[in-house]
Amino acid sequence: MTFWLAYKMLFGNIKRAIFPFLGVLCGIISLIMTLSLGAGGESIINTNLSAIGDNRIMIGGNSFNQRDIRILENYPFVEYALFPKARSYTDDNIYIGYPERVFDILDLPHLNDREVIVDKNQFENVKVGDTLELSIGTYRDRFLIKGLYEEKNPLELMRKGNRIIVSQDTYERIFGERNFSEIVISFEKGEDAEEYIPIILNKFRQDRGLYGDIQLLETPEVYKRIEKIKNIVSMTLGILSVISLGIGGLGIMNLIGSNIRSRTGHMGILRAMGMSSKDMVIMFITEGVIISFIGSIVGLILGIIFSVFVGKVINIYPVFSFGDIFISLVISLVVGIVMGSIPAVKAGEKNTIELLREI
């Protein structure tokens, strides 16, 4: 009887219920957009920051070649090694040479001679399997497009020229460069590169033999600062999510409290007709649960739609973790209902005469 009465009183006056419903609806939409767009933004930030500051060092010497790459990649703590200067700009194209191991790290197909991988944002009208005629000075040749990729390093995106990735062997054949003065050595993300610096320098000197001295040019300090920034970003987004949960819970509490304040006279009549204070509290909480549940379902659907739309406008693809969204909705509802039961209980403690005076 109590639940039926709560339903009839709620939907018997839609105008009174619409504003609390809109309050819950807006709160849930805000929560979904905060979680999804926040996660999408965090993913972009982490990707770009990681691209700027890898866990790596750079060493220099008189002359390095692919033999040195193979020596370094045999060390168990080395993820990959490459020549940062294995790139050439010509005819508005940037040719980048990568050793074999780098293609595995970037999840790109391995390349043979006259095969290339191009940036899909710069070569919009090509697809894998097409041929591309390229000019390199007076040299012209046709290359098979073996793969497409999307450059995410913001520093790389600032460079002028169309990015074309070739194998290290192809790069050396085309440009005639086989010796380089610098090598970048990358370590796994969880490794402390600082500990490996003396090992790398000593071991590499021994394994190279009499091929000239080497020196440390760059340490992973940038990587460590980037990791701190990423942690701050994650913490900030977590705080925003907690604030959104709190706002949702306060909205539900305000919904129940406003219903009680607007119907004090009705409560007196119901008490005079014999309704107990316990049933009255249950009735108001039930109304809050009904509006909150319906508002949450509709808000969830609209929140996903708005997140996708806004994400396209601001170029942030939303990341939906439905487990996190579900838990957040449940917490918001539980907090709101628990907090909303406080004014309901206080109202139920009033005697019938006090309530009837409000008519």
Side-chain angles (χ1 to χ4, degrees):
M1 181 66 181
T2 303
F3 295 99
W4 176 85
L5 184 59
Y7 174 83
K8 296 298 290 184
M9 292 186 68
L10 180 63
F11 291 98
N13 191 343
I14 297 297
K15 291 182 179 180
R16 183 169 50 80
I18 193 66
F19 291 106
F21 171 78
L22 290 176
V24 174
L25 180 68
C26 293
I28 297 302
I29 291 176
S30 299
L31 175 62
I32 300 302
M33 294 181 67
T34 299
L35 291 174
S36 61
L37 293 176
E42 181 182 11
S43 176
I44 293 175
I45 291 170
N46 287 345
T47 299
N48 288 343
L49 289 177
S50 296
I52 295 173
D54 288 334
N55 188 20
R56 64 189 188 183
I57 64 173
M58 182 186 294
I59 60 175
N62 294 330
S63 179
F64 297 123
N65 54 40
Q66 290 199 64
R67 172 180 175 270
D68 297 301
I69 294 287
R70 290 189 290 269
I71 291 174
L72 290 167
E73 289 181 343
N74 280 330
Y75 299 156
F77 43 80
V78 172
E79 186 180 36
Y80 67 84
L82 58 81
F83 302 120
K85 292 187 177 180
R87 57 171 58 225
S88 295
Y89 179 83
T90 178
D91 295 328
D92 202 32
N93 293 322
I94 300 176
Y95 294 88
I96 307 170
Y98 281 152
E100 293 294 309
R101 180 80 68 87
V102 176
F103 291 104
D104 293 329
I105 300 300
L106 298 178
D107 196 24
L108 296 173
H110 286 242
L111 299 178
N112 297 316
D113 195 27
R114 292 182 174 82
E115 293 180 344
V116 298
I117 298 172
V118 298
D119 189 333
K120 62 183 180 182
N121 293 323
Q122 296 179 319
F123 296 84
E124 297 180 353
N125 299 321
V126 301
K127 60 181 182 297
V128 175
D130 288 351
T131 57
L132 193 64
E133 186 171 339
L134 299 172
S135 299
I136 306 173
T138 59
Y139 172 79
R140 294 180 66 86
D141 204 347
R142 299 180 70 85
F143 292 82
L144 174 69
I145 298 178
K146 191 69 175 294
L148 302 173
Y149 84 108
E150 182 178 7
E151 184 61 61
K152 295 182 178 180
N153 187 335
L155 298 182
E156 187 69 36
L157 292 172
M158 294 171 61
R159 300 176 185 271
K160 294 182 178 180
N162 302 314
R163 290 172 290 274
I164 301 173
I165 296 176
V166 298
S167 68
Q168 186 65 36
D169 290 332
T170 299
Y171 179 88
E172 294 179 2
R173 178 183 65 80
I174 294 175
F175 296 99
E177 298 181 29
R178 290 178 171 80
N179 296 296
F180 303 88
S181 60
E182 298 172 352
I183 294 181
V184 167
I185 305 170
S186 178
F187 303 92
E188 297 287 345
K189 293 293 187 290
E191 300 287 352
D192 187 354
E194 296 284 355
E195 296 181 0
Y196 292 120
I197 289 176
I199 300 175
I200 284 285
L201 296 179
N202 294 330
K203 179 67 175 171
F204 192 40
R205 287 191 182 101
Q206 294 176 4
D207 293 341
R208 292 188 76 229
L210 301 176
Y211 283 90
D213 194 19
I214 59 175
Q215 56 186 337
L216 181 67
L217 301 180
E218 181 183 299
T219 64
E221 282 300 317
V222 174
Y223 170 79
K224 291 184 177 180
R225 289 196 294 268
I226 293 301
E227 288 300 311
K228 291 181 180 179
I229 295 173
K230 288 165 62 177
N231 291 334
I232 292 173
V233 170
S234 299
M235 185 181 302
T236 302
L237 291 174
I239 292 173
L240 289 176
S241 298
V242 171
I243 292 174
S244 296
L245 285 174
I247 292 174
L250 289 173
I252 298 171
M253 181 189 71
N254 184 64
L255 157 67
I256 297 176
S258 63
N259 277 345
I260 294 172
R261 288 189 296 271
S262 64
R263 291 190 309 194
T264 306
H266 295 166
M267 294 167 58
I269 296 173
L270 291 174
R271 287 288 295 275
M273 295 174 61
M275 176 176 280
S276 66
S277 60
K278 178 181 178 181
D279 289 340
M280 190 171 295
V281 171
I282 293 174
M283 181 186 69
F284 283 113
I285 294 178
T286 301
E287 288 186 20
V289 170
I290 293 173
I291 291 183
S292 300
F293 180 77
I294 298 175
S296 297
I297 298 299
V298 178
L300 175 62
I301 297 172
L302 293 180
I304 293 174
I305 295 173
F306 290 164
S307 295
V308 173
F309 175 76
V310 173
K312 290 182 178 180
V313 173
I314 63 177
N315 292 323
I316 295 179
Y317 185 79
V319 176
F320 298 102
S321 174
F322 289 100
D324 293 342
I325 291 174
F326 176 77
I327 293 174
S328 299
L329 290 176
V330 171
I331 293 175
S332 180
L333 289 172
V334 171
V335 171
I337 292 170
V338 170
M339 295 177 68
S341 65
I342 297 174
V345 171
K346 288 183 178 179
E349 292 175 349
K350 292 183 178 181
N351 59 51
T352 305
I353 296 176
E354 285 182 285
L355 296 172
L356 290 173
R357 286 174 181 169
E358 301 294 331
I359 297 178

